Amino acid sequence: MAGSERVAETTAAAEITPAAATAAVAAAPARSTAPDAVKILIAGGFGVGKTTMVGSVSEIAPLRTEEPLTEAGLDVDDLAGIEEKRATTVALDFGRISIGRDLVLYLFGTPGQQRFWFMWNDLAIGALGAVVLVDVRRPESSFAAIDFFERRRIPFVVAVNGFHGRHPYPAAEIREALALPEHVQVLLCDARERTSSRDVLIALIDQLIDAAAGAAAS
């Protein structure tokens, strides 16, 4: 099966409408039926840690579509600050995590290289929210992802990935540098750590629940 066909098949399998997903997230009572499923995108620029986050938090073996970086891409791929990178995602990453008994998150990691951005529109279909990963050493690499979700009015949180476990700047300074509005959460995380990545996802889900409750009350 061709790569594009695999992407379309995987995306369609987890597709739900935003309205249905919002209702599912807002449902509080425990049930004995199958858990509700919500589609979440893990996005950001090239080499910010998307594959790492999906892999660290997924309760199943993640699906990865990585290919080695080659000399042919040296004139296309900007490796400044990530010279140690040896492979790149060319389609998507896919993982799954259960939040309690009643909610399952299907995680879709987007490709970071600009020549693969055309896939983002398909991956975003049915997504209820997103995590935008930021490398504080290269914040400009995630501007396009922030703009993508703002334009489509898909709720998102910004997760600042502390490479080598370091966070040299507080969240307030990062918010200012990225020109983010106050309602967008800025979270410090380590994409390598399962607990840290899980906490980012829980913060996003809490935001979506609050938004759903507010919309129902208005």
Side-chain angles (χ1 to χ4, degrees):
M1 184 182 295
S4 60
E5 294 174 346
R6 288 198 302 270
V7 172
E9 181 180 285
T10 307
T11 301
E15 181 178 333
I16 58 175
T17 65
T22 299
V25 171
R31 301 181 301 280
S32 59
T33 56
D36 295 308
V38 172
K39 181 179 181 180
I40 300 294
L41 296 189
I42 310 297
F46 179 43
V48 297
K50 302 179 294 296
T51 298
T52 300
M53 173 171 276
V54 173
S56 72
V57 79
S58 179
E59 62 195 16
I60 62 172
L63 167 67
R64 291 174 174 164
T65 57
E66 287 191 307
E67 294 293 340
L69 291 170
T70 65
E71 291 186 5
L74 290 179
D75 294 334
V76 180
D77 302 322
D78 183 6
L79 294 176
I82 52 171
E83 291 82 3
E84 71 282 1
K85 190 170 178 61
R86 295 292 178 264
T88 186
T89 298
V90 297
L92 58 83
D93 300 306
F94 176 76
R96 184 190 73 196
I97 179 174
S98 300
I99 305 294
R101 295 178 300 170
D102 301 313
L103 184 64
V104 173
L105 307 185
Y106 289 106
L107 309 176
F108 288 76
T110 64
Q113 292 164 288
Q114 187 171 355
R115 62 182 180 274
F116 299 125
W117 286 358
F118 69 91
M119 300 181 61
W120 287 35
N121 286 322
D122 289 337
L123 290 173
I125 295 172
L128 185 59
V131 173
V132 176
L133 272 173
V134 173
D135 179 353
V136 73
R137 304 167 301 177
R138 304 175 297 117
E140 70 283 354
S141 66
S142 291
F143 284 156
I146 292 171
D147 182 66
F148 179 88
F149 295 114
E150 286 181 336
R151 287 177 178 271
R152 287 159 183 78
R153 298 185 179 180
I154 297 175
F156 65 95
V157 299
V158 168
V160 183
N161 189 13
F163 281 79
H164 309 295
R166 294 195 297 266
H167 286 288
Y169 305 105
E173 289 188 22
I174 295 168
R175 176 186 302 280
E176 183 177 357
L178 297 175
L180 293 169
E182 285 298 322
H183 71 270
V184 176
Q185 296 185 78
V186 178
L187 310 165
L188 305 181
C189 75
D190 186 337
R192 302 169 301 176
E193 299 294 332
R194 176 179 173 82
T195 300
S196 182
S197 297
R198 181 204 61 194
D199 289 347
V200 169
L201 293 170
I202 290 175
L204 173 61
I205 292 300
D206 285 344
Q207 175 178 313
L208 297 176
I209 291 174
D210 291 343
S218 62

mmCIF file of all heavy atoms in Angstrom, residues 145-181:
data_model
loop_
_atom_site.group_PDB
_atom_site.id
_atom_site.type_symbol
_atom_site.label_atom_id
_atom_site.label_comp_id
_atom_site.label_asym_id
_atom_site.label_seq_id
_atom_site.Cartn_x
_atom_site.Cartn_y
_atom_site.Cartn_z
ATOM 1 N N ALA A 145 3.114 26.241 12.890
ATOM 2 C CA ALA A 145 2.136 25.372 13.547
ATOM 3 C C ALA A 145 1.126 26.192 14.346
ATOM 4 O O ALA A 145 -0.081 25.923 14.319
ATOM 5 C CB ALA A 145 2.845 24.380 14.462
ATOM 6 N N ILE A 146 1.606 27.206 15.063
ATOM 7 C CA ILE A 146 0.704 28.073 15.827
ATOM 8 C C ILE A 146 -0.277 28.756 14.887
ATOM 9 O O ILE A 146 -1.489 28.802 15.135
ATOM 10 C CB ILE A 146 1.519 29.102 16.631
ATOM 11 C CG1 ILE A 146 2.307 28.386 17.734
ATOM 12 C CG2 ILE A 146 0.608 30.173 17.221
ATOM 13 C CD1 ILE A 146 3.307 29.272 18.449
ATOM 14 N N ASP A 147 0.225 29.286 13.776
ATOM 15 C CA ASP A 147 -0.630 29.956 12.798
ATOM 16 C C ASP A 147 -1.647 28.988 12.201
ATOM 17 O O ASP A 147 -2.813 29.345 11.989
ATOM 18 C CB ASP A 147 0.244 30.559 11.692
ATOM 19 C CG ASP A 147 -0.567 31.317 10.658
ATOM 20 O OD1 ASP A 147 -1.153 32.349 11.016
ATOM 21 O OD2 ASP A 147 -0.618 30.869 9.499
ATOM 22 N N PHE A 148 -1.225 27.754 11.957
ATOM 23 C CA PHE A 148 -2.113 26.747 11.370
ATOM 24 C C PHE A 148 -3.346 26.537 12.239
ATOM 25 O O PHE A 148 -4.484 26.540 11.750
ATOM 26 C CB PHE A 148 -1.342 25.436 11.209
ATOM 27 C CG PHE A 148 -2.149 24.297 10.644
ATOM 28 C CD1 PHE A 148 -2.239 24.105 9.273
ATOM 29 C CD2 PHE A 148 -2.805 23.400 11.482
ATOM 30 C CE1 PHE A 148 -2.979 23.052 8.743
ATOM 31 C CE2 PHE A 148 -3.549 22.353 10.963
ATOM 32 C CZ PHE A 148 -3.637 22.173 9.590
ATOM 33 N N PHE A 149 -3.153 26.355 13.537
ATOM 34 C CA PHE A 149 -4.279 26.068 14.428
ATOM 35 C C PHE A 149 -5.088 27.323 14.742
ATOM 36 O O PHE A 149 -6.312 27.234 14.904
ATOM 37 C CB PHE A 149 -3.776 25.389 15.697
ATOM 38 C CG PHE A 149 -3.178 24.040 15.444
ATOM 39 C CD1 PHE A 149 -1.827 23.802 15.654
ATOM 40 C CD2 PHE A 149 -3.955 23.005 14.957
ATOM 41 C CE1 PHE A 149 -1.272 22.566 15.386
ATOM 42 C CE2 PHE A 149 -3.416 21.758 14.687
ATOM 43 C CZ PHE A 149 -2.067 21.547 14.899
ATOM 44 N N GLU A 150 -4.448 28.464 14.808
ATOM 45 C CA GLU A 150 -5.197 29.697 15.023
ATOM 46 C C GLU A 150 -6.143 29.960 13.858
ATOM 47 O O GLU A 150 -7.310 30.341 14.062
ATOM 48 C CB GLU A 150 -4.241 30.874 15.211
ATOM 49 C CG GLU A 150 -3.539 30.891 16.554
ATOM 50 C CD GLU A 150 -2.618 32.082 16.715
ATOM 51 O OE1 GLU A 150 -2.169 32.641 15.682
ATOM 52 O OE2 GLU A 150 -2.329 32.451 17.867
ATOM 53 N N ARG A 151 -5.662 29.785 12.640
ATOM 54 C CA ARG A 151 -6.491 30.039 11.460
ATOM 55 C C ARG A 151 -7.673 29.082 11.380
ATOM 56 O O ARG A 151 -8.750 29.456 10.895
ATOM 57 C CB ARG A 151 -5.649 29.920 10.188
ATOM 58 C CG ARG A 151 -4.690 31.083 9.964
ATOM 59 C CD ARG A 151 -3.839 30.852 8.731
ATOM 60 N NE ARG A 151 -2.949 31.967 8.477
ATOM 61 C CZ ARG A 151 -3.265 33.031 7.746
ATOM 62 N NH1 ARG A 151 -4.466 33.112 7.197
ATOM 63 N NH2 ARG A 151 -2.391 34.002 7.555
ATOM 64 N N ARG A 152 -7.493 27.875 11.836
ATOM 65 C CA ARG A 152 -8.564 26.879 11.757
ATOM 66 C C ARG A 152 -9.380 26.801 13.043
ATOM 67 O O ARG A 152 -10.287 25.981 13.147
ATOM 68 C CB ARG A 152 -7.954 25.508 11.425
ATOM 69 C CG ARG A 152 -7.489 25.437 9.978
ATOM 70 C CD ARG A 152 -6.455 24.359 9.746
ATOM 71 N NE ARG A 152 -5.998 24.377 8.355
ATOM 72 C CZ ARG A 152 -5.127 25.261 7.878
ATOM 73 N NH1 ARG A 152 -4.626 26.199 8.685
ATOM 74 N NH2 ARG A 152 -4.768 25.232 6.608
ATOM 75 N N ARG A 153 -9.048 27.631 13.995
ATOM 76 C CA ARG A 153 -9.766 27.695 15.279
ATOM 77 C C ARG A 153 -9.800 26.333 15.975
ATOM 78 O O ARG A 153 -10.810 25.942 16.570
ATOM 79 C CB ARG A 153 -11.176 28.243 15.068
ATOM 80 C CG ARG A 153 -11.185 29.663 14.515
ATOM 81 C CD ARG A 153 -12.586 30.226 14.415
ATOM 82 N NE ARG A 153 -12.569 31.590 13.916
ATOM 83 C CZ ARG A 153 -13.656 32.337 13.718
ATOM 84 N NH1 ARG A 153 -14.853 31.825 13.985
ATOM 85 N NH2 ARG A 153 -13.552 33.565 13.252
ATOM 86 N N ILE A 154 -8.691 25.627 15.877
ATOM 87 C CA ILE A 154 -8.536 24.374 16.608
ATOM 88 C C ILE A 154 -7.823 24.696 17.919
ATOM 89 O O ILE A 154 -6.714 25.241 17.905
ATOM 90 C CB ILE A 154 -7.723 23.355 15.801
ATOM 91 C CG1 ILE A 154 -8.466 22.986 14.505
ATOM 92 C CG2 ILE A 154 -7.453 22.098 16.623
ATOM 93 C CD1 ILE A 154 -7.676 22.068 13.580
ATOM 94 N N PRO A 155 -8.420 24.410 19.070
ATOM 95 C CA PRO A 155 -7.772 24.729 20.349
ATOM 96 C C PRO A 155 -6.430 24.006 20.488
ATOM 97 O O PRO A 155 -6.278 22.858 20.046
ATOM 98 C CB PRO A 155 -8.778 24.218 21.391
ATOM 99 C CG PRO A 155 -10.084 24.133 20.662
ATOM 100 C CD PRO A 155 -9.742 23.783 19.250
ATOM 101 N N PHE A 156 -5.473 24.689 21.109
ATOM 102 C CA PHE A 156 -4.162 24.073 21.283
ATOM 103 C C PHE A 156 -3.487 24.606 22.533
ATOM 104 O O PHE A 156 -3.850 25.665 23.065
ATOM 105 C CB PHE A 156 -3.267 24.335 20.058
ATOM 106 C CG PHE A 156 -2.900 25.778 19.837
ATOM 107 C CD1 PHE A 156 -1.709 26.303 20.327
ATOM 108 C CD2 PHE A 156 -3.747 26.620 19.125
ATOM 109 C CE1 PHE A 156 -1.371 27.627 20.123
ATOM 110 C CE2 PHE A 156 -3.417 27.954 18.909
ATOM 111 C CZ PHE A 156 -2.229 28.453 19.409
ATOM 112 N N VAL A 157 -2.518 23.852 23.023
ATOM 113 C CA VAL A 157 -1.608 24.311 24.062
ATOM 114 C C VAL A 157 -0.207 24.306 23.481
ATOM 115 O O VAL A 157 0.077 23.565 22.534
ATOM 116 C CB VAL A 157 -1.665 23.430 25.335
ATOM 117 C CG1 VAL A 157 -3.065 23.437 25.948
ATOM 118 C CG2 VAL A 157 -1.215 22.005 25.029
ATOM 119 N N VAL A 158 0.644 25.139 24.027
ATOM 120 C CA VAL A 158 2.040 25.174 23.611
ATOM 121 C C VAL A 158 2.869 24.466 24.679
ATOM 122 O O VAL A 158 2.797 24.802 25.866
ATOM 123 C CB VAL A 158 2.531 26.623 23.423
ATOM 124 C CG1 VAL A 158 4.050 26.675 23.276
ATOM 125 C CG2 VAL A 158 1.864 27.244 22.202
ATOM 126 N N ALA A 159 3.626 23.458 24.270
ATOM 127 C CA ALA A 159 4.484 22.703 25.180
ATOM 128 C C ALA A 159 5.942 22.959 24.806
ATOM 129 O O ALA A 159 6.359 22.637 23.693
ATOM 130 C CB ALA A 159 4.169 21.207 25.108
ATOM 131 N N VAL A 160 6.678 23.555 25.713
ATOM 132 C CA VAL A 160 8.084 23.887 25.467
ATOM 133 C C VAL A 160 8.929 22.699 25.883
ATOM 134 O O VAL A 160 9.009 22.358 27.065
ATOM 135 C CB VAL A 160 8.488 25.151 26.240
ATOM 136 C CG1 VAL A 160 9.930 25.525 25.916
ATOM 137 C CG2 VAL A 160 7.546 26.307 25.913
ATOM 138 N N ASN A 161 9.536 22.064 24.908
ATOM 139 C CA ASN A 161 10.307 20.847 25.148
ATOM 140 C C ASN A 161 11.699 21.210 25.665
ATOM 141 O O ASN A 161 12.485 21.849 24.963
ATOM 142 C CB ASN A 161 10.402 20.032 23.856
ATOM 143 C CG ASN A 161 10.996 18.662 24.069
ATOM 144 O OD1 ASN A 161 11.134 18.193 25.201
ATOM 145 N ND2 ASN A 161 11.351 18.004 22.989
ATOM 146 N N GLY A 162 11.985 20.794 26.883
ATOM 147 C CA GLY A 162 13.291 21.091 27.482
ATOM 148 C C GLY A 162 14.329 20.083 27.043
ATOM 149 O O GLY A 162 14.478 19.019 27.661
ATOM 150 N N PHE A 163 15.049 20.390 25.976
ATOM 151 C CA PHE A 163 16.079 19.471 25.502
ATOM 152 C C PHE A 163 17.180 19.336 26.549
ATOM 153 O O PHE A 163 17.602 20.330 27.152
ATOM 154 C CB PHE A 163 16.645 19.968 24.171
ATOM 155 C CG PHE A 163 15.756 19.657 23.004
ATOM 156 C CD1 PHE A 163 14.635 20.436 22.745
ATOM 157 C CD2 PHE A 163 16.006 18.561 22.185
ATOM 158 C CE1 PHE A 163 13.800 20.147 21.675
ATOM 159 C CE2 PHE A 163 15.172 18.263 21.122
ATOM 160 C CZ PHE A 163 14.070 19.055 20.863
ATOM 161 N N HIS A 164 17.587 18.097 26.783
ATOM 162 C CA HIS A 164 18.588 17.782 27.805
ATOM 163 C C HIS A 164 18.085 18.174 29.197
ATOM 164 O O HIS A 164 18.870 18.403 30.112
ATOM 165 C CB HIS A 164 19.915 18.478 27.508
ATOM 166 C CG HIS A 164 20.417 18.267 26.110
ATOM 167 N ND1 HIS A 164 20.788 17.017 25.637
ATOM 168 C CD2 HIS A 164 20.573 19.131 25.070
ATOM 169 C CE1 HIS A 164 21.170 17.129 24.381
ATOM 170 N NE2 HIS A 164 21.047 18.389 24.004
ATOM 171 N N GLY A 165 16.760 18.256 29.346
ATOM 172 C CA GLY A 165 16.171 18.548 30.648
ATOM 173 C C GLY A 165 16.306 19.979 31.101
ATOM 174 O O GLY A 165 16.053 20.277 32.272
ATOM 175 N N ARG A 166 16.659 20.900 30.207
ATOM 176 C CA ARG A 166 16.877 22.290 30.599
ATOM 177 C C ARG A 166 15.759 23.196 30.101
ATOM 178 O O ARG A 166 15.293 23.064 28.969
ATOM 179 C CB ARG A 166 18.224 22.782 30.053
ATOM 180 C CG ARG A 166 19.426 22.077 30.657
ATOM 181 C CD ARG A 166 20.703 22.850 30.357
ATOM 182 N NE ARG A 166 20.975 22.917 28.931
ATOM 183 C CZ ARG A 166 21.764 22.053 28.298
ATOM 184 N NH1 ARG A 166 22.331 21.058 28.946
ATOM 185 N NH2 ARG A 166 21.973 22.177 26.989
ATOM 186 N N HIS A 167 15.347 24.133 30.960
ATOM 187 C CA HIS A 167 14.371 25.155 30.609
ATOM 188 C C HIS A 167 14.955 26.512 30.983
ATOM 189 O O HIS A 167 14.743 27.016 32.084
ATOM 190 C CB HIS A 167 13.049 24.922 31.345
ATOM 191 C CG HIS A 167 12.258 23.779 30.807
ATOM 192 N ND1 HIS A 167 11.597 23.835 29.592
ATOM 193 C CD2 HIS A 167 12.053 22.532 31.292
ATOM 194 C CE1 HIS A 167 10.998 22.680 29.370
ATOM 195 N NE2 HIS A 167 11.262 21.870 30.381
ATOM 196 N N PRO A 168 15.691 27.139 30.069
ATOM 197 C CA PRO A 168 16.385 28.382 30.402
ATOM 198 C C PRO A 168 15.478 29.589 30.535
ATOM 199 O O PRO A 168 15.890 30.610 31.105
ATOM 200 C CB PRO A 168 17.360 28.566 29.231
ATOM 201 C CG PRO A 168 16.732 27.830 28.099
ATOM 202 C CD PRO A 168 16.014 26.664 28.715
ATOM 203 N N TYR A 169 14.237 29.503 30.021
ATOM 204 C CA TYR A 169 13.341 30.651 30.062
ATOM 205 C C TYR A 169 12.016 30.271 30.708
ATOM 206 O O TYR A 169 11.483 29.187 30.455
ATOM 207 C CB TYR A 169 13.073 31.179 28.651
ATOM 208 C CG TYR A 169 14.334 31.520 27.886
ATOM 209 C CD1 TYR A 169 14.789 30.676 26.868
ATOM 210 C CD2 TYR A 169 15.079 32.652 28.188
ATOM 211 C CE1 TYR A 169 15.946 30.967 26.174
ATOM 212 C CE2 TYR A 169 16.237 32.954 27.496
ATOM 213 C CZ TYR A 169 16.660 32.110 26.491
ATOM 214 O OH TYR A 169 17.815 32.387 25.807
ATOM 215 N N PRO A 170 11.435 31.153 31.514
ATOM 216 C CA PRO A 170 10.122 30.869 32.112
ATOM 217 C C PRO A 170 9.027 30.953 31.059
ATOM 218 O O PRO A 170 9.200 31.550 29.985
ATOM 219 C CB PRO A 170 9.968 31.971 33.166
ATOM 220 C CG PRO A 170 10.837 33.093 32.684
ATOM 221 C CD PRO A 170 11.990 32.446 31.983
ATOM 222 N N ALA A 171 7.880 30.381 31.402
ATOM 223 C CA ALA A 171 6.765 30.332 30.460
ATOM 224 C C ALA A 171 6.317 31.729 30.026
ATOM 225 O O ALA A 171 5.945 31.932 28.862
ATOM 226 C CB ALA A 171 5.598 29.572 31.084
ATOM 227 N N ALA A 172 6.359 32.703 30.943
ATOM 228 C CA ALA A 172 5.909 34.060 30.610
ATOM 229 C C ALA A 172 6.765 34.672 29.500
ATOM 230 O O ALA A 172 6.245 35.346 28.599
ATOM 231 C CB ALA A 172 5.939 34.938 31.853
ATOM 232 N N GLU A 173 8.074 34.450 29.545
ATOM 233 C CA GLU A 173 8.947 34.998 28.510
ATOM 234 C C GLU A 173 8.718 34.312 27.169
ATOM 235 O O GLU A 173 8.769 34.949 26.107
ATOM 236 C CB GLU A 173 10.414 34.856 28.925
ATOM 237 C CG GLU A 173 10.818 35.778 30.064
ATOM 238 C CD GLU A 173 12.319 35.740 30.312
ATOM 239 O OE1 GLU A 173 13.081 35.353 29.395
ATOM 240 O OE2 GLU A 173 12.731 36.078 31.431
ATOM 241 N N ILE A 174 8.451 33.029 27.224
ATOM 242 C CA ILE A 174 8.185 32.299 25.979
ATOM 243 C C ILE A 174 6.867 32.761 25.370
ATOM 244 O O ILE A 174 6.755 32.929 24.149
ATOM 245 C CB ILE A 174 8.173 30.790 26.259
ATOM 246 C CG1 ILE A 174 9.576 30.337 26.699
ATOM 247 C CG2 ILE A 174 7.714 30.009 25.033
ATOM 248 C CD1 ILE A 174 9.624 28.960 27.259
ATOM 249 N N ARG A 175 5.861 32.999 26.203
ATOM 250 C CA ARG A 175 4.576 33.509 25.708
ATOM 251 C C ARG A 175 4.778 34.832 24.987
ATOM 252 O O ARG A 175 4.240 35.055 23.894
ATOM 253 C CB ARG A 175 3.604 33.704 26.875
ATOM 254 C CG ARG A 175 2.270 34.335 26.445
ATOM 255 C CD ARG A 175 1.392 34.643 27.655
ATOM 256 N NE ARG A 175 1.127 33.452 28.424
ATOM 257 C CZ ARG A 175 0.207 32.555 28.102
ATOM 258 N NH1 ARG A 175 -0.528 32.736 27.017
ATOM 259 N NH2 ARG A 175 0.016 31.503 28.856
ATOM 260 N N GLU A 176 5.575 35.704 25.586
ATOM 261 C CA GLU A 176 5.823 37.012 24.972
ATOM 262 C C GLU A 176 6.575 36.860 23.647
ATOM 263 O O GLU A 176 6.256 37.523 22.655
ATOM 264 C CB GLU A 176 6.609 37.891 25.939
ATOM 265 C CG GLU A 176 6.863 39.298 25.418
ATOM 266 C CD GLU A 176 7.585 40.167 26.425
ATOM 267 O OE1 GLU A 176 7.842 39.694 27.560
ATOM 268 O OE2 GLU A 176 7.904 41.321 26.083
ATOM 269 N N ALA A 177 7.577 35.969 23.622
ATOM 270 C CA ALA A 177 8.369 35.787 22.410
ATOM 271 C C ALA A 177 7.534 35.231 21.266
ATOM 272 O O ALA A 177 7.762 35.570 20.093
ATOM 273 C CB ALA A 177 9.544 34.855 22.696
ATOM 274 N N LEU A 178 6.550 34.387 21.594
ATOM 275 C CA LEU A 178 5.700 33.786 20.574
ATOM 276 C C LEU A 178 4.443 34.601 20.300
ATOM 277 O O LEU A 178 3.637 34.220 19.446
ATOM 278 C CB LEU A 178 5.301 32.361 20.989
ATOM 279 C CG LEU A 178 6.443 31.350 21.127
ATOM 280 C CD1 LEU A 178 5.914 30.024 21.665
ATOM 281 C CD2 LEU A 178 7.144 31.136 19.798
ATOM 282 N N ALA A 179 4.272 35.712 21.035
ATOM 283 C CA ALA A 179 3.107 36.594 20.873
ATOM 284 C C ALA A 179 1.797 35.822 21.030
ATOM 285 O O ALA A 179 0.867 35.960 20.230
ATOM 286 C CB ALA A 179 3.157 37.303 19.522
ATOM 287 N N LEU A 180 1.738 35.010 22.094
ATOM 288 C CA LEU A 180 0.559 34.185 22.321
ATOM 289 C C LEU A 180 -0.453 34.915 23.188
ATOM 290 O O LEU A 180 -0.082 35.583 24.162
ATOM 291 C CB LEU A 180 0.958 32.879 23.016
ATOM 292 C CG LEU A 180 1.811 31.913 22.198
ATOM 293 C CD1 LEU A 180 2.345 30.804 23.096
ATOM 294 C CD2 LEU A 180 1.012 31.333 21.042
ATOM 295 N N PRO A 181 -1.740 34.800 22.886
ATOM 296 C CA PRO A 181 -2.767 35.388 23.748
ATOM 297 C C PRO A 181 -2.834 34.670 25.091
ATOM 298 O O PRO A 181 -2.365 33.536 25.226
ATOM 299 C CB PRO A 181 -4.054 35.212 22.943
ATOM 300 C CG PRO A 181 -3.771 34.073 22.016
ATOM 301 C CD PRO A 181 -2.312 34.140 21.704
#
